[in-house]
């Protein structure tokens, strides 16, 4: 990959970040910041698109998400951390882009479709919710980002952004906007501790990076395993066993993991021993993250976010000026 790549990612501040975020995206951001210009945005406007009636939740979680970032090693000296609503140029770009995509195309987006099923909008889908992928296209293009580290649910959104880019450049005969590519993390769908669905804050089945050692242990001991593995000597199933899914994602010694799987399948390895191994693994990963988190205050994170937003805004301003010029909105 060339050094001129620009990386941009974002999260909605609707709760603390969890191990799915960590393994799916945060870890790779920490590596990427060593090589590329990185922008990490807290998407408070996007979070409002389905939490407009609960702005307090969004506001509080802006600082919490930023603490999660810093605690895993995203370094404000290397990555620009900023807040979406502090960059009004993003909202202005969104309006221009809205002309370039049809309502039907937005309705066809599988990510939006899946989200609509989870929510209770019934027949009154807010226009802002349907259009959030357009504002996401603004987030990406404002910084001329080329690489977007995300989970696979975000792929349809990057596709929409690229469609808007191509359409804009064609219609206005310009080269201002740049297409981007996703980078997928090594684990795409970390299952929830209940084994039923992807780990998510809204389903209450996730392990948060900020969980205390006691809560972490409790969650591991509640994990879904193999309901037919009753006696230690019974053969157990690895497939669909949440403890193994987490060991696959987080346990470094792959040879040792292979032999644990074999022993479990044969019979003779108890769930509590296995959960003990996972507990040690995750406690070791989370201990330094927790410690780092405790060392940053709300004042620290707000300072970081405000100065990052000033920097980010300069860049977005330039892109907006180029976009308006390409459209021909020049009044001198
Ligand atoms: N849609 C992303 C999420 O739900 C957040 C997001 C907003 C984003 N703008 C972005 C991700 C730009 C990547 C690029 O987590």
């Amino acid at each position: 990959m060339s050094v001129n790549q620009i990386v941009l990612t974002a999260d909605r501040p609707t709760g603390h970040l969890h191990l799915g975020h960590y393994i799916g995206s945060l870890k790779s951001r920490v590596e990427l910041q060593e090589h590329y210009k990185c922008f990490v945005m807290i998407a408070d406007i996007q979070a409002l698109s389905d939490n407009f009636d609960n702005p307090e939740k969004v506001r509080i979680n802006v600082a919490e998400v930023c603490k999660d970032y810093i605690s895993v090693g995203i370094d404000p000296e290397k990555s620009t951390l900023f807040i979406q609503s502090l960059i009004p140029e993003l909202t202005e770009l969104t309006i221009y882009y809205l002309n370039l995509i049809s309502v039907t195309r937005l309705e066809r987006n599988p990510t939006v479709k899946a989200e609509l099923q989870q929510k209770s909008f019934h027949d009154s889908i807010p226009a802002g919710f349907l259009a959030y992928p357009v504002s996401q296209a603004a987030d990406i293009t404002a910084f001329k980002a080329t690489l977007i580290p995300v989970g696979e649910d975000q792929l349809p959104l990057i596709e929409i952004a690229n469609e808007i880019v191509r359409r804009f450049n064609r219609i206005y005969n310009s080269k201002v906007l740049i297409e981007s590519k996703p980078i997928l993390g090594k684990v795409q769908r970390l299952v929830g501790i209940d084994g039923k669905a992807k780990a998510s804050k809204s389903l209450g089945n996730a392990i948060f990076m900020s969980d205390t050692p006691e809560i972490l242990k409790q969650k591991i001991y509640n994990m879904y395993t193999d309901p037919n593995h009753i006696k230690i000597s019974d053969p157990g199933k690895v497939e669909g066993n949440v403890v193994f899914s987490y060991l696959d994602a987080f346990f470094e010694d792959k040879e040792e993991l292979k032999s644990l799987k074999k022993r479990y399948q044969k019979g003779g390895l108890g769930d509590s021993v296995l959960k003990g191994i996972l507990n040690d693994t995750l406690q070791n990963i989370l201990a330094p993250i927790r410690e780092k988190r405790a060392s940053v205050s709300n004042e620290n994170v707000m300072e970081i976010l405000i100065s990052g937003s000033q920097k980010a805004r300069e860049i977005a301003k330039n892109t907006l000026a180029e976009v308006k010029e390409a459209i021909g909105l020049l009044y001198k």
Side-chain angles (χ1 to χ4, degrees), residues 145-156:
T146 51
L147 296 176
I148 320 290
V150 280
E152 65 185 358
D153 60 325
Q154 297 295 303
L155 299 181

Side-chain angles (χ1 to χ4, degrees), residues 8-12 41 43 46 84 115 132 135-136 139-140 148-150 153-154 157-158:
L8 178 125
T9 52
D11 295 282
R12 296 183 194 180
M41 184 184 83
Q46 188 176 115
Q84 189 178 28
E115 284 170 312
Y132 89 72
S135 117
Q136 186 152 328
D139 304 336
I140 294 172
I148 320 290
V150 280
D153 60 325
Q154 297 295 303
L157 296 163
I158 297 177

Side-chain angles (χ1 to χ4, degrees), residues 10-11 13 40-44 62 65-66 69 82-85 305:
D11 295 282
V40 183
M41 184 184 83
I42 304 191
D44 59 343
V62 168
V65 168
C66 188
Y69 289 159
F82 67 100
I83 302 177
Q84 189 178 28
S85 67
L305 287 170

